[in-house]
Amino acid sequence: MTLRLHDTATRETRDFVPLQQGRAGIYVCGLTVQSEPHVGHVRSAVNFDVLRRWLAATGYTVDFIRNVTDIDDKILARSAEQGVHWYALAAAMKRELDKALAAINVLPPTYEPGATGHVPEILELIEQLVARGHAYAAEDGSGDVYFDVRSWPAYGELTRQKVEDMEPAGDADPRGKRDPRDFALWKGWKQETEPQTAAWPSPYGPGRPGWHIECSAMAGKYLGPAFDIHGGGVDLRFPHHENEQAQSRAAGRPFSSYWLHNAWITTAGEKMSKSLGNSLLVPSVLERVRGIELRYYMVSAHYRSHVEFSFEALDEAAKGFRRIEDFLDRASGVVGGWFASLPDAFVQAMDDDLGTPAAVAVIHDSVREGNRLLVDGASDELSQKFGEVIAMLDVLGLNPADEAWANGADDDDKLTSVIDALVQGLLAERTAAREAKDWARADAIRDQIKNAGVEVEDTPAGPKWTVS
């Protein structure tokens, strides 16, 4: 089966046909590093990390570029509020982002360019647009440069909008614009309110890049004028991705062949964001669950499905993942050699627009079958199931044996994980004994657990344990 992806531009799910055989170029819009990352921020990183891993698992060499916006109105405003240099704030928040992504096993990109390091490429692209008649310098002396949306008839095609129906671009004072929908490519330095370090020389006067032009320039730098997949959150479709596509193609660059957008994590039906005051910072969430459990929670939902966040749902997901870990722990002491292979049902799920919910269901099917084989003592078949589960978890970045998890956990986390795996293993054996009506064995396991200082409560959702 061929990988099929839902292309936001065409609104169709179609076969993935790379521009270069055996190679895939992906550009994902990263964060504006103005504040600590919350759970909603990192969902996009997890979703596109799964895409990257699946392409690699199916034989592609993947060039994965994820940018960082390290100069922006919001960064300047927040740094002024805090009384720190804007670049110090951006650097500190970038370190927080790196820690958060490492804690949930998101692979580092092939390269992670920052906007401030690519001003020459940005100015080169702006100059191309001006020369082609698609951009102009403002006549109000501001030093701003704008993209002329009326000069590009295809403007609005990504989001299927007409220019007349669009709201004005709120990225600069409209006095210098020919049309209120024109968006800023270059923002002249406001020396009364902005530090001199936030300005670079240009043919239009000192200033800094507009948000949208950054990604077009950096994608072109590392992936070339045409590449395979552009990704990001659904909230970036307009205006950010619409503007990226328009300015890139107006400059003569074909740009992205496929557009993929992940949905939000919401709280009370609203996008999780700093402005709503309902964000959940990643370190705080990781005080409740392990990084591998948070990743499992995100992977279990389809990337295009909105997820209503709740700690109850997160806890249930963590329990579900611990059942997988329990099987691996028990089976690892029984199986000898094993071969990592992917079941056909898992491959079909992943090839169907990264159908991770169905893929996770296949993992649980294999775990249930593996637990049955453990009871039956069928070692050869058990080894096969064990290898399947490991292979599937690897694709989703959820293999507990991955060194990334060990490196990202402190000693207390690792000790808790080991204890939980041991207790869950005994509880699973007790459940199997009770199902087989081996009451003596079930009682013996219960006593063994109790003597170790662990209290077990049987609930409709399964046994729960606490330290007595």
Side-chain angles (χ1 to χ4, degrees):
M1 183 175 177
T2 302
L3 172 63
R4 292 174 58 78
L5 297 172
H6 184 82
D7 181 15
T8 307
T10 62
R11 301 186 184 180
E12 296 178 350
T13 302
R14 55 195 182 93
D15 291 352
F16 175 60
V17 181
L19 296 174
Q20 183 178 346
Q21 186 174 5
R23 200 171 196 96
I26 304 175
Y27 186 91
V28 174
C29 287
L31 292 181
T32 299
V33 283
Q34 58 164 318
S35 57
E36 298 88 344
H38 58 61
V39 173
H41 286 141
V42 299
R43 184 191 184 186
S44 180
V46 169
N47 291 151
F48 288 102
D49 185 61
V50 169
L51 169 63
R52 175 189 186 177
R53 289 172 185 266
W54 182 236
L55 287 169
T58 52
Y60 286 93
T61 298
V62 182
D63 298 311
F64 190 92
I65 307 299
R66 185 184 66 228
N67 80 292
V68 170
T69 296
D70 54 359
I71 182 67
D72 177 84
D73 289 344
K74 294 177 181 178
I75 292 174
L76 292 175
R78 188 172 292 271
S79 64
E81 290 171 6
Q82 297 180 9
V84 299
H85 294 302
W86 64 269
Y87 49 83
L89 173 66
M93 293 304 99
K94 175 60 168 59
R95 290 191 292 271
E96 292 300 314
L97 174 62
D98 290 343
K99 287 192 289 186
L101 296 182
I104 52 176
N105 197 18
V106 172
L107 295 171
T110 307
Y111 189 63
E112 191 170 28
T116 57
H118 294 80
V119 172
E121 290 83 3
I122 291 167
L123 288 171
E124 179 184 3
L125 179 53
I126 292 173
E127 288 166 18
Q128 290 174 359
L129 289 168
V130 170
R132 284 171 170 254
H134 297 298
Y136 60 93
E139 297 179 358
D140 61 355
S142 63
D144 294 344
V145 181
Y146 299 108
F147 182 85
D148 184 350
V149 298
R150 297 283 184 179
S151 75
W152 185 245
Y155 186 67
E157 65 179 349
L158 180 64
T159 51
R160 301 191 180 185
Q161 298 184 80
K162 295 180 179 179
V163 174
E164 294 78 12
D165 298 330
M166 297 178 185
E167 294 292 327
D171 55 359
D173 191 316
R175 288 178 299 178
K177 297 182 179 183
R178 296 174 182 170
D179 187 292
R181 273 68 56 113
D182 293 349
F183 57 89
L185 302 175
W186 187 258
K187 307 183 86 168
W189 178 42
K190 302 174 181 64
Q191 53 183 308
E192 299 85 3
T193 58
E194 296 178 354
Q196 189 171 5
T197 52
W200 286 260
S202 83
Y204 319 101
R208 55 188 168 87
W211 178 30
H212 315 297
I213 197 73
E214 299 171 0
C215 288
S216 288
M218 290 186 283
K221 171 78 170 181
Y222 299 103
L223 296 176
F227 56 96
D228 297 304
I229 298 170
H230 195 315
V234 68
D235 53 316
L236 297 181
R237 289 177 63 241
F238 187 87
H240 187 49
H241 288 168
E242 184 73 68
N243 292 350
E244 275 190 70
Q245 177 168 284
Q247 66 199 7
S248 298
R249 293 185 175 176
R253 305 179 182 187
F255 211 52
S256 180
S257 299
Y258 298 78
W259 287 90
L260 270 63
H261 292 95
N262 65 278
W264 296 335
I265 290 182
T266 58
T267 53
E270 296 185 86
K271 175 193 172 187
M272 186 180 292
S273 69
K274 287 284 183 185
S275 60
L276 290 175
N278 58 7
S279 59
L280 293 167
L281 300 182
V282 173
S284 298
V285 175
L286 295 181
E287 292 177 2
R288 185 178 184 119
V289 297
R290 294 174 296 151
I292 198 169
E293 294 165 344
L294 177 57
R295 183 180 176 105
Y296 174 81
Y297 170 70
M298 294 183 181
V299 166
S300 297
H302 194 273
Y303 77 92
R304 288 193 290 113
S305 298
H306 288 299
V307 175
E308 177 67 18
F309 182 87
S310 73
F311 278 114
E312 292 76 16
L314 180 60
D315 289 342
E316 284 302 312
K319 291 176 186 176
F321 185 75
R322 287 196 290 269
R323 287 193 288 271
I324 298 172
E325 285 183 304
D326 167 59
F327 164 70
L328 294 176
D329 182 64
R330 295 168 61 218
S332 64
V334 177
V335 299
W338 52 273
F339 178 73
S341 61
L342 295 171
D344 289 342
F346 181 88
V347 173
Q348 291 170 7
M350 294 299 292
D351 275 346
D352 185 13
D353 193 30
L354 301 179
T356 55
V360 168
V362 176
I363 295 175
H364 282 286
D365 287 342
S366 293
V367 166
R368 280 190 289 272
E369 179 64 13
N371 282 325
R372 184 189 67 78
L373 294 169
L374 271 169
V375 174
D376 294 346
S379 59
D380 289 343
E381 295 173 79
L382 177 62
S383 295
Q384 178 184 350
K385 287 297 170 187
F386 183 85
E388 287 180 357
V389 172
I390 289 292
M392 291 186 283
L393 292 175
D394 269 332
V395 166
L396 300 180
L398 291 168
N399 184 352
D402 190 326
E403 290 184 0
W405 298 118
N407 292 339
D410 60 26
D411 291 340
D412 288 341
D413 288 339
K414 288 186 277 187
L415 180 60
T416 300
S417 177
V418 170
I419 293 173
D420 183 65
L422 293 172
V423 173
Q424 292 292 346
L426 290 170
L427 290 176
E429 288 186 38
R430 176 172 173 260
T431 299
R434 294 177 67 176
E435 291 175 351
K437 301 188 185 309
D438 187 350
W439 309 118
R441 175 62 179 157
D443 290 344
I445 295 173
R446 179 199 61 200
D447 293 341
Q448 181 183 357
I449 294 173
K450 187 173 183 179
N451 291 338
V454 176
E455 291 290 340
V456 176
E457 177 188 2
D458 291 310
T459 73
K464 296 181 178 180
W465 66 272
T466 56
V467 177
S468 59

